Amino acid sequence: MLVRRRGQMLVAAILIVGLIAMSFLLVTYHTHALFLRTRGLVVRETVGAVTADFNRALAAMLALATRSYYDHTRFSDFVSRFEDQGLEPGNLSSAGLVAARFIENWATAARVIFAEQGLQLAWALEPPRVLHLLGRAPEPLQNPVILIDWNKTAAGSYISGWMRLNLTNAGFYNWETRSLIGFTLIIDRFYSSNSTVRLRALVDNGTYYGALLARGWVEFYYFDSSAEKWVKAKIKDVTYEGFGYYRITVEERLRRGTRFLIVASDERGILVLAQSTVP
Amino acid sequence: MAVERGVALTLREPGRSSRRGQIRLVELVLAVFMVVAVIIMVMNFTRPLRSVYLREVSDLRRLAYNLLGNLADAGAFERVLEGAFSGDSTWEGRMRMLVYSNLPPGIVFSMEVYSVEVGEGGLPVIRRLDSGGITNMKPGATLIESESIQYVYVCTRDPDSMRGRMLYVVLVIGYAG
């Protein structure tokens, strides 16, 4: 009987010790899981911040190229800061080189700043594919990365890039993004009866742009054949119709066959010039 | 007969003890099951120590990222930090007010803003713009729970003098003790 009781005590003791050990393991695991959930890196926000800034870097470089190409002197507050980095007025090839260098510097800075998260970053600029935006094949690229296709009824400015990132300290790998940054302006129709042009503004990959009045700007020029020069028209009214469509009414009465030019900038400073003729 | 009885006894006794053993085993399994079930229930119904604070830490990071993302979307960095590049010393106060008004009550913060420039050899050089004034922390205050986040920002909005500038922002937010 005594031997049997001893055996029972032994079994009970082993059971209790086993249960305590199991409970300890469960509590440790539970605490560790909670720690990971609550103290871990916020991957979504970090990746979102880096990706958004990559897009901003592309946009800034496209703005630089378009502004320098259109009127280097007028936008000298911005473009002159990049002259010592090799930007030549109106030269798209030099703008492309400056853009590549700028984005490499940005990537280096991002690697340093996000070192705690173990950021690894690879990027490349790519030729923009914009057939779906312009409705026609764009002009051949004047440089490998920046596409400026202006002075047509459907005109646009574009830059395209690819980026892949890892956050090694968060166990997050191979986040890949392809960005097409651009500004498209399409002249839809000109109404001679009230000198009104209807146009459409799209940003990036075809998103309707509804902030042209609030954050961007637009200018209207017509070609004065007697003076042989472009004259800035006085805009009387601008109306946003929705879905990226705008109506712009100018004070001047334009004759049939008069060429007109619309210059627009979005809030990021990307310029585009669309041109058409009064029907 | 004695032999037969003895045989009968020897045959009966192991049967009884093995049944008893099986019953003990079943009891044992049931007991273990009950104890484990109770432990799991207790673990699920109780919180670890200071879990409230632990949960708030991730939320603080998200809050900080969302705040900086909103300021970026609104183009606030360009408009406020223009002063930092043009020598206007009031920009820190404006930035402090902007951050303060966008955070929930009870949160303390401290922000540092750096400019990332291209140095010799094309390497980035980080230069601090503020003088420690973008904070609502009282001198000597301690944070009982806080998080710091890093944010990189390329200026794209008006004015033109700010476009293309690269900024590095460090934001610490938390609860003061």
PDB file of all heavy atoms in Angstrom, chain A residues 15 19 22-23 38 41 45 53 56 67 78 81 102 105 113 267-268, chain B residues 28 35 39 54 58 61-62 118 122 152-154 156-157 160-161 163 168:
ATOM      1  N   LEU A  15       3.039  15.444 -12.385  1.00  0.00           N
ATOM      2  CA  LEU A  15       1.956  16.163 -13.078  1.00  0.00           C
ATOM      3  C   LEU A  15       1.962  17.650 -12.737  1.00  0.00           C
ATOM      4  O   LEU A  15       1.871  18.514 -13.616  1.00  0.00           O
ATOM      5  CB  LEU A  15       0.613  15.574 -12.656  1.00  0.00           C
ATOM      6  CG  LEU A  15      -0.019  14.564 -13.590  1.00  0.00           C
ATOM      7  CD1 LEU A  15      -1.238  13.965 -12.965  1.00  0.00           C
ATOM      8  CD2 LEU A  15      -0.367  15.244 -14.896  1.00  0.00           C
ATOM      9  N   LEU A  19       2.629  20.634 -15.238  1.00  0.00           N
ATOM     10  CA  LEU A  19       1.634  21.695 -15.479  1.00  0.00           C
ATOM     11  C   LEU A  19       2.227  23.079 -15.263  1.00  0.00           C
ATOM     12  O   LEU A  19       1.977  24.014 -16.037  1.00  0.00           O
ATOM     13  CB  LEU A  19       0.444  21.498 -14.531  1.00  0.00           C
ATOM     14  CG  LEU A  19      -0.562  20.439 -14.962  1.00  0.00           C
ATOM     15  CD1 LEU A  19      -1.579  20.199 -13.881  1.00  0.00           C
ATOM     16  CD2 LEU A  19      -1.258  20.880 -16.243  1.00  0.00           C
ATOM     17  N   MET A  22       4.394  23.850 -18.179  1.00  0.00           N
ATOM     18  CA  MET A  22       3.585  24.148 -19.369  1.00  0.00           C
ATOM     19  C   MET A  22       2.958  25.544 -19.269  1.00  0.00           C
ATOM     20  O   MET A  22       2.933  26.314 -20.230  1.00  0.00           O
ATOM     21  CB  MET A  22       2.488  23.094 -19.519  1.00  0.00           C
ATOM     22  CG  MET A  22       1.907  23.008 -20.901  1.00  0.00           C
ATOM     23  SD  MET A  22       0.882  21.551 -21.055  1.00  0.00           S
ATOM     24  CE  MET A  22      -0.454  21.968 -19.984  1.00  0.00           C
ATOM     25  N   SER A  23       2.470  25.852 -18.071  1.00  0.00           N
ATOM     26  CA  SER A  23       1.867  27.176 -17.870  1.00  0.00           C
ATOM     27  C   SER A  23       2.897  28.274 -18.101  1.00  0.00           C
ATOM     28  O   SER A  23       2.620  29.294 -18.729  1.00  0.00           O
ATOM     29  CB  SER A  23       1.322  27.299 -16.453  1.00  0.00           C
ATOM     30  OG  SER A  23       0.490  26.239 -16.173  1.00  0.00           O
ATOM     31  N   THR A  38       2.570  44.445 -30.201  1.00  0.00           N
ATOM     32  CA  THR A  38       2.429  45.822 -29.744  1.00  0.00           C
ATOM     33  C   THR A  38       3.718  46.631 -29.819  1.00  0.00           C
ATOM     34  O   THR A  38       3.679  47.824 -30.040  1.00  0.00           O
ATOM     35  CB  THR A  38       1.937  45.853 -28.290  1.00  0.00           C
ATOM     36  OG1 THR A  38       2.861  45.105 -27.507  1.00  0.00           O
ATOM     37  CG2 THR A  38       0.560  45.259 -28.161  1.00  0.00           C
ATOM     38  N   LEU A  41       7.758  46.860 -35.043  1.00  0.00           N
ATOM     39  CA  LEU A  41       7.776  47.989 -35.966  1.00  0.00           C
ATOM     40  C   LEU A  41       6.436  48.085 -36.664  1.00  0.00           C
ATOM     41  O   LEU A  41       5.813  47.073 -36.946  1.00  0.00           O
ATOM     42  CB  LEU A  41       8.866  47.776 -37.018  1.00  0.00           C
ATOM     43  CG  LEU A  41      10.269  47.618 -36.477  1.00  0.00           C
ATOM     44  CD1 LEU A  41      11.181  47.104 -37.556  1.00  0.00           C
ATOM     45  CD2 LEU A  41      10.757  48.938 -35.961  1.00  0.00           C
ATOM     46  N   GLU A  45       3.035  51.543 -41.938  1.00  0.00           N
ATOM     47  CA  GLU A  45       3.278  52.994 -41.941  1.00  0.00           C
ATOM     48  C   GLU A  45       4.678  53.319 -42.469  1.00  0.00           C
ATOM     49  O   GLU A  45       4.860  54.288 -43.200  1.00  0.00           O
ATOM     50  CB  GLU A  45       3.106  53.561 -40.533  1.00  0.00           C
ATOM     51  CG  GLU A  45       1.667  53.770 -40.107  1.00  0.00           C
ATOM     52  CD  GLU A  45       0.958  52.481 -39.740  1.00  0.00           C
ATOM     53  OE1 GLU A  45       1.649  51.441 -39.649  1.00  0.00           O
ATOM     54  OE2 GLU A  45      -0.270  52.491 -39.569  1.00  0.00           O
ATOM     55  N   ASP A  53       7.432  58.906 -50.274  1.00  0.00           N
ATOM     56  CA  ASP A  53       8.529  59.843 -50.493  1.00  0.00           C
ATOM     57  C   ASP A  53       9.275  59.546 -51.785  1.00  0.00           C
ATOM     58  O   ASP A  53       9.800  60.469 -52.416  1.00  0.00           O
ATOM     59  CB  ASP A  53       9.490  59.836 -49.305  1.00  0.00           C
ATOM     60  CG  ASP A  53      10.175  61.176 -49.165  1.00  0.00           C
ATOM     61  OD1 ASP A  53       9.465  62.196 -49.235  1.00  0.00           O
ATOM     62  OD2 ASP A  53      11.403  61.216 -49.027  1.00  0.00           O
ATOM     63  N   ARG A  56       7.322  61.325 -54.230  1.00  0.00           N
ATOM     64  CA  ARG A  56       7.570  62.768 -54.135  1.00  0.00           C
ATOM     65  C   ARG A  56       8.903  63.133 -54.774  1.00  0.00           C
ATOM     66  O   ARG A  56       9.025  64.162 -55.440  1.00  0.00           O
ATOM     67  CB  ARG A  56       7.546  63.213 -52.671  1.00  0.00           C
ATOM     68  CG  ARG A  56       6.150  63.393 -52.112  1.00  0.00           C
ATOM     69  CD  ARG A  56       6.186  64.168 -50.805  1.00  0.00           C
ATOM     70  NE  ARG A  56       6.764  63.397 -49.735  1.00  0.00           N
ATOM     71  CZ  ARG A  56       6.066  62.655 -48.876  1.00  0.00           C
ATOM     72  NH1 ARG A  56       4.749  62.615 -48.958  1.00  0.00           N
ATOM     73  NH2 ARG A  56       6.662  61.982 -47.926  1.00  0.00           N
ATOM     74  N   ARG A  67      10.046  72.580 -65.540  1.00  0.00           N
ATOM     75  CA  ARG A  67      10.188  74.026 -65.304  1.00  0.00           C
ATOM     76  C   ARG A  67      11.436  74.585 -65.984  1.00  0.00           C
ATOM     77  O   ARG A  67      11.417  75.682 -66.526  1.00  0.00           O
ATOM     78  CB  ARG A  67      10.203  74.310 -63.804  1.00  0.00           C
ATOM     79  CG  ARG A  67       8.838  74.022 -63.214  1.00  0.00           C
ATOM     80  CD  ARG A  67       8.597  74.534 -61.848  1.00  0.00           C
ATOM     81  NE  ARG A  67       7.148  74.431 -61.618  1.00  0.00           N
ATOM     82  CZ  ARG A  67       6.429  75.262 -60.907  1.00  0.00           C
ATOM     83  NH1 ARG A  67       6.997  76.272 -60.301  1.00  0.00           N
ATOM     84  NH2 ARG A  67       5.123  75.107 -60.784  1.00  0.00           N
ATOM     85  N   PHE A  78      13.682  77.764 -57.942  1.00  0.00           N
ATOM     86  CA  PHE A  78      13.746  76.306 -57.793  1.00  0.00           C
ATOM     87  C   PHE A  78      14.909  75.725 -58.591  1.00  0.00           C
ATOM     88  O   PHE A  78      15.811  75.085 -58.030  1.00  0.00           O
ATOM     89  CB  PHE A  78      12.396  75.741 -58.247  1.00  0.00           C
ATOM     90  CG  PHE A  78      12.298  74.252 -58.335  1.00  0.00           C
ATOM     91  CD1 PHE A  78      13.029  73.412 -57.497  1.00  0.00           C
ATOM     92  CD2 PHE A  78      11.440  73.672 -59.255  1.00  0.00           C
ATOM     93  CE1 PHE A  78      12.911  72.033 -57.579  1.00  0.00           C
ATOM     94  CE2 PHE A  78      11.317  72.297 -59.343  1.00  0.00           C
ATOM     95  CZ  PHE A  78      12.061  71.479 -58.506  1.00  0.00           C
ATOM     96  N   ARG A  81      18.952  76.109 -57.976  1.00  0.00           N
ATOM     97  CA  ARG A  81      19.607  75.353 -56.906  1.00  0.00           C
ATOM     98  C   ARG A  81      20.236  74.057 -57.425  1.00  0.00           C
ATOM     99  O   ARG A  81      21.039  73.431 -56.743  1.00  0.00           O
ATOM    100  CB  ARG A  81      18.600  75.039 -55.798  1.00  0.00           C
ATOM    101  CG  ARG A  81      18.405  76.197 -54.831  1.00  0.00           C
ATOM    102  CD  ARG A  81      17.545  75.798 -53.658  1.00  0.00           C
ATOM    103  NE  ARG A  81      16.134  75.837 -53.987  1.00  0.00           N
ATOM    104  CZ  ARG A  81      15.329  74.787 -53.924  1.00  0.00           C
ATOM    105  NH1 ARG A  81      15.809  73.618 -53.567  1.00  0.00           N
ATOM    106  NH2 ARG A  81      14.053  74.902 -54.241  1.00  0.00           N
ATOM    107  N   PHE A 102      19.831  62.722 -57.832  1.00  0.00           N
ATOM    108  CA  PHE A 102      19.003  63.154 -56.697  1.00  0.00           C
ATOM    109  C   PHE A 102      18.349  61.944 -56.018  1.00  0.00           C
ATOM    110  O   PHE A 102      18.343  61.821 -54.794  1.00  0.00           O
ATOM    111  CB  PHE A 102      17.926  64.125 -57.185  1.00  0.00           C
ATOM    112  CG  PHE A 102      17.019  64.641 -56.099  1.00  0.00           C
ATOM    113  CD1 PHE A 102      17.387  65.739 -55.335  1.00  0.00           C
ATOM    114  CD2 PHE A 102      15.804  64.025 -55.840  1.00  0.00           C
ATOM    115  CE1 PHE A 102      16.547  66.220 -54.331  1.00  0.00           C
ATOM    116  CE2 PHE A 102      14.964  64.492 -54.839  1.00  0.00           C
ATOM    117  CZ  PHE A 102      15.343  65.591 -54.088  1.00  0.00           C
ATOM    118  N   ASN A 105      20.789  59.988 -54.046  1.00  0.00           N
ATOM    119  CA  ASN A 105      21.046  60.650 -52.759  1.00  0.00           C
ATOM    120  C   ASN A 105      19.891  60.435 -51.794  1.00  0.00           C
ATOM    121  O   ASN A 105      20.094  60.215 -50.597  1.00  0.00           O
ATOM    122  CB  ASN A 105      21.263  62.154 -52.964  1.00  0.00           C
ATOM    123  CG  ASN A 105      22.616  62.439 -53.567  1.00  0.00           C
ATOM    124  OD1 ASN A 105      23.564  61.687 -53.365  1.00  0.00           O
ATOM    125  ND2 ASN A 105      22.713  63.497 -54.351  1.00  0.00           N
ATOM    126  N   ILE A 113      18.516  56.908 -42.530  1.00  0.00           N
ATOM    127  CA  ILE A 113      17.452  57.326 -41.611  1.00  0.00           C
ATOM    128  C   ILE A 113      16.658  56.121 -41.092  1.00  0.00           C
ATOM    129  O   ILE A 113      16.287  56.071 -39.924  1.00  0.00           O
ATOM    130  CB  ILE A 113      16.541  58.349 -42.322  1.00  0.00           C
ATOM    131  CG1 ILE A 113      17.310  59.680 -42.485  1.00  0.00           C
ATOM    132  CG2 ILE A 113      15.232  58.565 -41.577  1.00  0.00           C
ATOM    133  CD1 ILE A 113      16.724  60.610 -43.512  1.00  0.00           C
ATOM    134  N   GLU A 267      -0.105  70.818 -58.303  1.00  0.00           N
ATOM    135  CA  GLU A 267       0.408  71.312 -57.019  1.00  0.00           C
ATOM    136  C   GLU A 267       1.857  70.915 -56.771  1.00  0.00           C
ATOM    137  O   GLU A 267       2.534  71.522 -55.953  1.00  0.00           O
ATOM    138  CB  GLU A 267      -0.482  70.788 -55.893  1.00  0.00           C
ATOM    139  CG  GLU A 267      -0.420  69.286 -55.730  1.00  0.00           C
ATOM    140  CD  GLU A 267      -1.728  68.698 -55.244  1.00  0.00           C
ATOM    141  OE1 GLU A 267      -2.725  68.754 -55.980  1.00  0.00           O
ATOM    142  OE2 GLU A 267      -1.734  68.183 -54.129  1.00  0.00           O
ATOM    143  N   ARG A 268       2.347  69.893 -57.502  1.00  0.00           N
ATOM    144  CA  ARG A 268       3.729  69.452 -57.304  1.00  0.00           C
ATOM    145  C   ARG A 268       4.699  70.220 -58.189  1.00  0.00           C
ATOM    146  O   ARG A 268       5.891  69.962 -58.167  1.00  0.00           O
ATOM    147  CB  ARG A 268       3.827  67.960 -57.593  1.00  0.00           C
ATOM    148  CG  ARG A 268       2.934  67.131 -56.704  1.00  0.00           C
ATOM    149  CD  ARG A 268       2.802  65.713 -57.200  1.00  0.00           C
ATOM    150  NE  ARG A 268       2.185  65.645 -58.516  1.00  0.00           N
ATOM    151  CZ  ARG A 268       1.944  64.508 -59.173  1.00  0.00           C
ATOM    152  NH1 ARG A 268       2.287  63.369 -58.641  1.00  0.00           N
ATOM    153  NH2 ARG A 268       1.365  64.526 -60.358  1.00  0.00           N
TER     154      ARG A 268
ATOM    155  N   LEU B  28      -6.938  10.413 -14.637  1.00  0.00           N
ATOM    156  CA  LEU B  28      -5.747  11.260 -14.804  1.00  0.00           C
ATOM    157  C   LEU B  28      -5.895  12.185 -16.021  1.00  0.00           C
ATOM    158  O   LEU B  28      -5.654  13.395 -15.935  1.00  0.00           O
ATOM    159  CB  LEU B  28      -4.533  10.354 -14.994  1.00  0.00           C
ATOM    160  CG  LEU B  28      -3.175  10.982 -14.781  1.00  0.00           C
ATOM    161  CD1 LEU B  28      -2.960  11.278 -13.314  1.00  0.00           C
ATOM    162  CD2 LEU B  28      -2.089  10.050 -15.283  1.00  0.00           C
ATOM    163  N   VAL B  35      -7.498  20.794 -15.603  1.00  0.00           N
ATOM    164  CA  VAL B  35      -6.512  21.791 -15.134  1.00  0.00           C
ATOM    165  C   VAL B  35      -6.050  22.680 -16.298  1.00  0.00           C
ATOM    166  O   VAL B  35      -5.992  23.910 -16.179  1.00  0.00           O
ATOM    167  CB  VAL B  35      -5.308  21.071 -14.475  1.00  0.00           C
ATOM    168  CG1 VAL B  35      -4.194  22.060 -14.210  1.00  0.00           C
ATOM    169  CG2 VAL B  35      -5.742  20.400 -13.191  1.00  0.00           C
ATOM    170  N   ILE B  39      -6.508  26.697 -16.764  1.00  0.00           N
ATOM    171  CA  ILE B  39      -5.354  27.600 -16.968  1.00  0.00           C
ATOM    172  C   ILE B  39      -5.556  28.454 -18.223  1.00  0.00           C
ATOM    173  O   ILE B  39      -5.337  29.671 -18.216  1.00  0.00           O
ATOM    174  CB  ILE B  39      -4.040  26.793 -17.061  1.00  0.00           C
ATOM    175  CG1 ILE B  39      -3.679  26.271 -15.674  1.00  0.00           C
ATOM    176  CG2 ILE B  39      -2.903  27.629 -17.613  1.00  0.00           C
ATOM    177  CD1 ILE B  39      -2.477  25.385 -15.650  1.00  0.00           C
ATOM    178  N   LEU B  54       1.510  48.784 -23.094  1.00  0.00           N
ATOM    179  CA  LEU B  54       2.100  48.047 -24.211  1.00  0.00           C
ATOM    180  C   LEU B  54       1.298  48.263 -25.475  1.00  0.00           C
ATOM    181  O   LEU B  54       1.845  48.459 -26.539  1.00  0.00           O
ATOM    182  CB  LEU B  54       2.157  46.552 -23.883  1.00  0.00           C
ATOM    183  CG  LEU B  54       3.224  46.133 -22.895  1.00  0.00           C
ATOM    184  CD1 LEU B  54       3.037  44.692 -22.497  1.00  0.00           C
ATOM    185  CD2 LEU B  54       4.598  46.315 -23.503  1.00  0.00           C
ATOM    186  N   SER B  58       2.388  50.857 -30.089  1.00  0.00           N
ATOM    187  CA  SER B  58       2.187  50.784 -31.545  1.00  0.00           C
ATOM    188  C   SER B  58       1.267  51.891 -32.015  1.00  0.00           C
ATOM    189  O   SER B  58       1.452  52.466 -33.073  1.00  0.00           O
ATOM    190  CB  SER B  58       1.557  49.450 -31.932  1.00  0.00           C
ATOM    191  OG  SER B  58       2.519  48.467 -31.877  1.00  0.00           O
ATOM    192  N   ARG B  61       3.131  55.055 -32.549  1.00  0.00           N
ATOM    193  CA  ARG B  61       3.875  55.096 -33.822  1.00  0.00           C
ATOM    194  C   ARG B  61       2.933  55.397 -34.976  1.00  0.00           C
ATOM    195  O   ARG B  61       3.230  56.196 -35.846  1.00  0.00           O
ATOM    196  CB  ARG B  61       4.563  53.762 -34.077  1.00  0.00           C
ATOM    197  CG  ARG B  61       5.797  53.589 -33.245  1.00  0.00           C
ATOM    198  CD  ARG B  61       6.611  52.425 -33.725  1.00  0.00           C
ATOM    199  NE  ARG B  61       7.873  52.385 -32.973  1.00  0.00           N
ATOM    200  CZ  ARG B  61       8.860  51.567 -33.229  1.00  0.00           C
ATOM    201  NH1 ARG B  61       8.771  50.711 -34.197  1.00  0.00           N
ATOM    202  NH2 ARG B  61       9.965  51.598 -32.532  1.00  0.00           N
ATOM    203  N   ARG B  62       1.794  54.706 -34.967  1.00  0.00           N
ATOM    204  CA  ARG B  62       0.830  54.939 -36.051  1.00  0.00           C
ATOM    205  C   ARG B  62       0.349  56.378 -36.026  1.00  0.00           C
ATOM    206  O   ARG B  62       0.233  57.026 -37.054  1.00  0.00           O
ATOM    207  CB  ARG B  62      -0.365  54.001 -35.904  1.00  0.00           C
ATOM    208  CG  ARG B  62      -0.004  52.593 -36.183  1.00  0.00           C
ATOM    209  CD  ARG B  62      -1.184  51.720 -36.557  1.00  0.00           C
ATOM    210  NE  ARG B  62      -0.671  50.402 -36.834  1.00  0.00           N
ATOM    211  CZ  ARG B  62      -0.535  49.445 -35.921  1.00  0.00           C
ATOM    212  NH1 ARG B  62      -0.927  49.645 -34.691  1.00  0.00           N
ATOM    213  NH2 ARG B  62      -0.031  48.279 -36.238  1.00  0.00           N
ATOM    214  N   VAL B 118      23.396  67.668 -50.255  1.00  0.00           N
ATOM    215  CA  VAL B 118      24.455  66.882 -50.896  1.00  0.00           C
ATOM    216  C   VAL B 118      25.797  67.507 -50.541  1.00  0.00           C
ATOM    217  O   VAL B 118      26.045  68.676 -50.818  1.00  0.00           O
ATOM    218  CB  VAL B 118      24.258  66.841 -52.425  1.00  0.00           C
ATOM    219  CG1 VAL B 118      25.331  65.988 -53.085  1.00  0.00           C
ATOM    220  CG2 VAL B 118      22.883  66.300 -52.755  1.00  0.00           C
ATOM    221  N   GLY B 122      29.251  63.866 -53.216  1.00  0.00           N
ATOM    222  CA  GLY B 122      27.880  63.435 -53.475  1.00  0.00           C
ATOM    223  C   GLY B 122      27.220  62.731 -52.310  1.00  0.00           C
ATOM    224  O   GLY B 122      26.126  62.187 -52.459  1.00  0.00           O
ATOM    225  N   VAL B 152      11.197  60.794 -43.771  1.00  0.00           N
ATOM    226  CA  VAL B 152      11.971  61.485 -44.805  1.00  0.00           C
ATOM    227  C   VAL B 152      10.974  62.130 -45.763  1.00  0.00           C
ATOM    228  O   VAL B 152       9.930  61.543 -46.065  1.00  0.00           O
ATOM    229  CB  VAL B 152      12.951  60.504 -45.494  1.00  0.00           C
ATOM    230  CG1 VAL B 152      12.264  59.340 -46.141  1.00  0.00           C
ATOM    231  CG2 VAL B 152      13.850  61.205 -46.478  1.00  0.00           C
ATOM    232  N   TYR B 153      11.269  63.346 -46.155  1.00  0.00           N
ATOM    233  CA  TYR B 153      10.288  64.110 -46.920  1.00  0.00           C
ATOM    234  C   TYR B 153      10.967  64.956 -47.998  1.00  0.00           C
ATOM    235  O   TYR B 153      11.837  65.775 -47.700  1.00  0.00           O
ATOM    236  CB  TYR B 153       9.499  65.031 -45.968  1.00  0.00           C
ATOM    237  CG  TYR B 153       8.416  65.811 -46.651  1.00  0.00           C
ATOM    238  CD1 TYR B 153       7.205  65.213 -46.965  1.00  0.00           C
ATOM    239  CD2 TYR B 153       8.597  67.154 -46.998  1.00  0.00           C
ATOM    240  CE1 TYR B 153       6.200  65.927 -47.605  1.00  0.00           C
ATOM    241  CE2 TYR B 153       7.606  67.866 -47.632  1.00  0.00           C
ATOM    242  CZ  TYR B 153       6.405  67.246 -47.929  1.00  0.00           C
ATOM    243  OH  TYR B 153       5.419  67.949 -48.562  1.00  0.00           O
ATOM    244  N   VAL B 154      10.563  64.747 -49.236  1.00  0.00           N
ATOM    245  CA  VAL B 154      11.042  65.589 -50.337  1.00  0.00           C
ATOM    246  C   VAL B 154       9.962  66.630 -50.618  1.00  0.00           C
ATOM    247  O   VAL B 154       8.809  66.279 -50.887  1.00  0.00           O
ATOM    248  CB  VAL B 154      11.310  64.752 -51.606  1.00  0.00           C
ATOM    249  CG1 VAL B 154      11.672  65.650 -52.772  1.00  0.00           C
ATOM    250  CG2 VAL B 154      12.423  63.754 -51.367  1.00  0.00           C
ATOM    251  N   THR B 156       7.641  69.066 -52.433  1.00  0.00           N
ATOM    252  CA  THR B 156       7.150  69.152 -53.812  1.00  0.00           C
ATOM    253  C   THR B 156       6.178  70.313 -54.006  1.00  0.00           C
ATOM    254  O   THR B 156       5.798  70.607 -55.133  1.00  0.00           O
ATOM    255  CB  THR B 156       6.409  67.861 -54.208  1.00  0.00           C
ATOM    256  OG1 THR B 156       5.395  67.606 -53.247  1.00  0.00           O
ATOM    257  CG2 THR B 156       7.341  66.677 -54.272  1.00  0.00           C
ATOM    258  N   ARG B 157       5.759  70.937 -52.925  1.00  0.00           N
ATOM    259  CA  ARG B 157       4.706  71.955 -53.033  1.00  0.00           C
ATOM    260  C   ARG B 157       5.285  73.366 -53.110  1.00  0.00           C
ATOM    261  O   ARG B 157       6.471  73.578 -52.921  1.00  0.00           O
ATOM    262  CB  ARG B 157       3.788  71.864 -51.814  1.00  0.00           C
ATOM    263  CG  ARG B 157       3.154  70.509 -51.601  1.00  0.00           C
ATOM    264  CD  ARG B 157       2.139  70.214 -52.687  1.00  0.00           C
ATOM    265  NE  ARG B 157       1.439  68.975 -52.414  1.00  0.00           N
ATOM    266  CZ  ARG B 157       0.398  68.869 -51.609  1.00  0.00           C
ATOM    267  NH1 ARG B 157      -0.072  69.922 -50.998  1.00  0.00           N
ATOM    268  NH2 ARG B 157      -0.185  67.711 -51.424  1.00  0.00           N
ATOM    269  N   ASP B 160       8.237  77.817 -54.666  1.00  0.00           N
ATOM    270  CA  ASP B 160       9.299  77.259 -55.504  1.00  0.00           C
ATOM    271  C   ASP B 160      10.640  77.155 -54.770  1.00  0.00           C
ATOM    272  O   ASP B 160      11.447  76.274 -55.059  1.00  0.00           O
ATOM    273  CB  ASP B 160       9.484  78.125 -56.752  1.00  0.00           C
ATOM    274  CG  ASP B 160       8.964  77.398 -57.997  1.00  0.00           C
ATOM    275  OD1 ASP B 160       8.394  76.295 -57.834  1.00  0.00           O
ATOM    276  OD2 ASP B 160       9.125  77.928 -59.110  1.00  0.00           O
ATOM    277  N   SER B 161      10.841  78.067 -53.821  1.00  0.00           N
ATOM    278  CA  SER B 161      12.123  78.056 -53.102  1.00  0.00           C
ATOM    279  C   SER B 161      12.271  76.805 -52.234  1.00  0.00           C
ATOM    280  O   SER B 161      13.360  76.491 -51.758  1.00  0.00           O
ATOM    281  CB  SER B 161      12.251  79.303 -52.236  1.00  0.00           C
ATOM    282  OG  SER B 161      11.188  79.342 -51.316  1.00  0.00           O
ATOM    283  N   ARG B 163      10.823  73.673 -53.243  1.00  0.00           N
ATOM    284  CA  ARG B 163      10.712  72.451 -54.062  1.00  0.00           C
ATOM    285  C   ARG B 163      12.068  71.769 -54.208  1.00  0.00           C
ATOM    286  O   ARG B 163      13.082  72.431 -54.429  1.00  0.00           O
ATOM    287  CB  ARG B 163      10.196  72.793 -55.460  1.00  0.00           C
ATOM    288  CG  ARG B 163       8.720  72.919 -55.506  1.00  0.00           C
ATOM    289  CD  ARG B 163       8.151  72.669 -56.891  1.00  0.00           C
ATOM    290  NE  ARG B 163       6.713  72.714 -56.790  1.00  0.00           N
ATOM    291  CZ  ARG B 163       5.979  73.820 -56.941  1.00  0.00           C
ATOM    292  NH1 ARG B 163       6.567  74.948 -57.239  1.00  0.00           N
ATOM    293  NH2 ARG B 163       4.668  73.771 -56.809  1.00  0.00           N
ATOM    294  N   TYR B 168      14.481  65.630 -43.151  1.00  0.00           N
ATOM    295  CA  TYR B 168      14.457  64.462 -42.261  1.00  0.00           C
ATOM    296  C   TYR B 168      13.831  64.928 -40.954  1.00  0.00           C
ATOM    297  O   TYR B 168      14.317  65.880 -40.337  1.00  0.00           O
ATOM    298  CB  TYR B 168      15.902  63.967 -42.080  1.00  0.00           C
ATOM    299  CG  TYR B 168      16.130  63.015 -40.935  1.00  0.00           C
ATOM    300  CD1 TYR B 168      15.237  61.987 -40.650  1.00  0.00           C
ATOM    301  CD2 TYR B 168      17.272  63.123 -40.150  1.00  0.00           C
ATOM    302  CE1 TYR B 168      15.476  61.114 -39.602  1.00  0.00           C
ATOM    303  CE2 TYR B 168      17.518  62.246 -39.108  1.00  0.00           C
ATOM    304  CZ  TYR B 168      16.611  61.251 -38.837  1.00  0.00           C
ATOM    305  OH  TYR B 168      16.841  60.386 -37.800  1.00  0.00           O
TER     306      TYR B 168
END
